[in-house]
Amino acid sequence: ILALIISVLVPLTLNAVSQSAVIFLTIEPGSHAGAMGAAYTAQAEDAFAAYWNTGALAFNRKTQFAGMHSNWFGSIFNDMYFEYLAWNQYFEDVGNIGLNFTYMTYGEQEGTDEEGNPTGTFRSYDLAAAATYAYQVSQNLGLGLGFKFILSDLAPEGTGQTEQQTKGQGMSYAFDLGVKYKNLLIDRLDVAWSLQNIGPNITYINESQSDQLPMNWRMGASYRLFDTQYSKLTMNLDMSKVLADDTDDPVYTRIITAWGGDSPIYNAGAEYGYYNLLFLRAGYINDSAGDIVGASFGAGIEYTFSEQYKMSLDFAMQPAGGLTDYNQTFSVKVEF
């Protein structure tokens, strides 16, 4: 891939997925989850669950809208933004249907021709649009499926100092699978698993130089130590790994063969809620391969009005690796 694309992707190598393209798909939305060290796979049941675990959506009986905004690496790149927007609706005897959109803009870039002469500026971005479906199979079991269309527009054709005309745009599609089981063996213990971004390679230049999608294995457990009318304390553990390698193995074999190399990512988090109004959260991320190791923290406020509508505002400080200490993220949820 042309040097420009590499230079754009390097700051986003969050999860040791150097063999993959469109790694914006590994950025985890939701400041609720971000404050808890990104340990959210088994707890998620809100509209953000469309990313974390589609199976968890099966337990949501509300109409929900959720969104997140972040000036990603804002202290270094003032025009790099991450946006996420999701909607979820429950239909009786049908299940949950949702839509979500992920957008990452890398700001304005300087273009050059083969001889290094400036050709003007252009903007680079990645986009994914997804639809999800989840169904509650039993009192404790939820299953989910998601389908997403992916567009990566990093550079106009012919950009860069190369001997041939290069192309910085690619398209692909992918599926997500999710399972959540509540009250496993004991009350208040939930477990979940998801496999994300299952799809064909994305091609920027030609088929022989196509790049794998960041297929991500994610699993987690969530335990509510106590859950009363006035307060509750939840503890979460997660593990994830991007199943990418430098072979041409088909997607289904990578589930087995791509476990070598970089270590998985481990996440732990806790949340204390007071009277379903104020929430304090903290967590820890251990992504040694991606050079993201450290604590996260944040808070949230929920407010119910007209006895029907609920709004949630969340804030998180998340470790960002070597480029900057923390990313500040904000998210909002509305349900009725």
Side-chain angles (χ1 to χ4, degrees):
I1 302 178
L2 67 161
L4 171 65
I5 295 179
I6 296 176
S7 70
V8 170
L9 291 181
V10 165
L12 292 175
T13 308
L14 304 180
N15 296 315
V17 287
S18 58
Q19 294 94 349
S20 300
V22 291
I23 59 178
F24 80 104
L25 295 174
T26 66
I27 297 178
E28 296 139 332
S31 299
H32 184 166
M36 299 177 68
Y40 199 58
T41 305
Q43 183 182 356
E45 288 183 6
D46 55 18
F48 284 114
Y51 172 87
W52 292 91
N53 177 13
T54 53
L57 282 172
F59 299 99
N60 192 325
R61 294 296 183 268
K62 300 290 187 179
T63 300
Q64 280 193 337
F65 293 90
M68 171 179 158
H69 164 79
S70 176
N71 184 191
W72 210 249
F73 296 114
S75 60
I76 302 175
F77 307 103
N78 58 15
D79 57 353
M80 181 181 289
Y81 294 96
F82 175 81
E83 316 287 351
Y84 183 87
L85 182 64
W87 162 81
N88 173 73
Q89 173 70 58
Y90 172 72
F91 297 92
E92 190 172 358
D93 298 326
V94 175
N96 287 70
I97 295 176
L99 298 172
N100 63 85
F101 302 90
T102 307
Y103 178 73
M104 185 81 186
T105 176
Y106 307 108
E108 193 171 73
Q109 318 292 333
E110 293 288 341
T112 61
D113 60 20
E114 296 178 1
E115 298 177 353
N117 301 313
T119 59
T121 60
F122 61 93
R123 291 191 172 273
S124 304
Y125 67 89
D126 285 327
L127 171 69
T132 58
Y133 172 73
Y135 185 76
Q136 186 174 346
V137 178
S138 66
Q139 181 179 355
N140 295 327
L141 178 63
L143 304 177
L145 172 68
F147 173 80
K148 67 186 70 171
F149 168 77
I150 305 162
L151 172 63
S152 180
D153 193 350
L154 300 180
E157 185 170 353
T159 302
Q161 301 178 41
T162 61
E163 295 180 358
Q164 60 180 348
Q165 290 293 300
T166 55
K167 180 183 177 184
Q169 185 182 87
M171 291 183 289
S172 188
Y173 62 88
F175 293 91
D176 294 346
L177 303 175
V179 180
K180 178 170 180 175
Y181 194 91
K182 305 185 72 171
N183 302 314
L184 177 69
L185 302 178
I186 60 175
D187 289 341
R188 304 193 302 275
L189 174 62
D190 301 340
V191 295
W193 165 87
S194 66
L195 187 60
Q196 305 164 306
N197 308 321
I198 311 164
N201 290 4
I202 187 169
T203 300
Y204 290 100
I205 302 173
N206 55 54
E207 291 285 341
S208 64
Q209 301 182 63
S210 63
D211 296 287
Q212 298 174 357
L213 301 185
M215 184 169 62
N216 195 29
W217 174 288
R218 183 183 297 275
M219 57 194 304
S222 177
Y223 181 64
R224 298 178 296 282
L225 275 72
F226 54 84
D227 190 350
T228 69
Q229 179 182 358
Y230 300 102
S231 62
K232 60 181 178 181
L233 177 62
T234 304
M235 308 289 288
N236 295 343
L237 291 174
D238 269 27
M239 186 277 282
S240 64
K241 180 174 176 57
V242 174
L243 303 179
D245 54 35
D246 56 1
T247 70
D248 295 326
D249 290 344
V251 169
Y252 61 87
T253 62
R254 283 165 50 200
I255 298 175
I256 300 174
T257 62
W259 283 88
D262 297 325
S263 300
I265 302 168
Y266 299 99
N267 314 80
E271 175 183 56
Y272 174 76
Y274 175 72
Y275 209 64
N276 288 326
L277 175 64
L278 176 64
F279 297 84
L280 301 177
R281 305 170 181 128
Y284 190 83
I285 300 174
N286 185 359
D287 176 9
S288 56
D291 193 27
I292 302 177
V293 179
S296 62
F297 56 90
I301 297 176
E302 288 187 359
Y303 180 72
T304 302
F305 52 97
S306 300
E307 298 183 354
Q308 181 182 2
Y309 302 95
K310 179 190 290 185
M311 174 173 286
S312 304
L313 300 175
D314 298 305
F315 166 76
M317 295 286 288
Q318 303 172 228
L323 288 178
T324 185
D325 292 334
Y326 283 92
N327 282 324
Q328 302 178 27
T329 67
F330 301 87
S331 63
V332 60
K333 293 181 291 188
V334 177
E335 70 174 45
F336 50 90

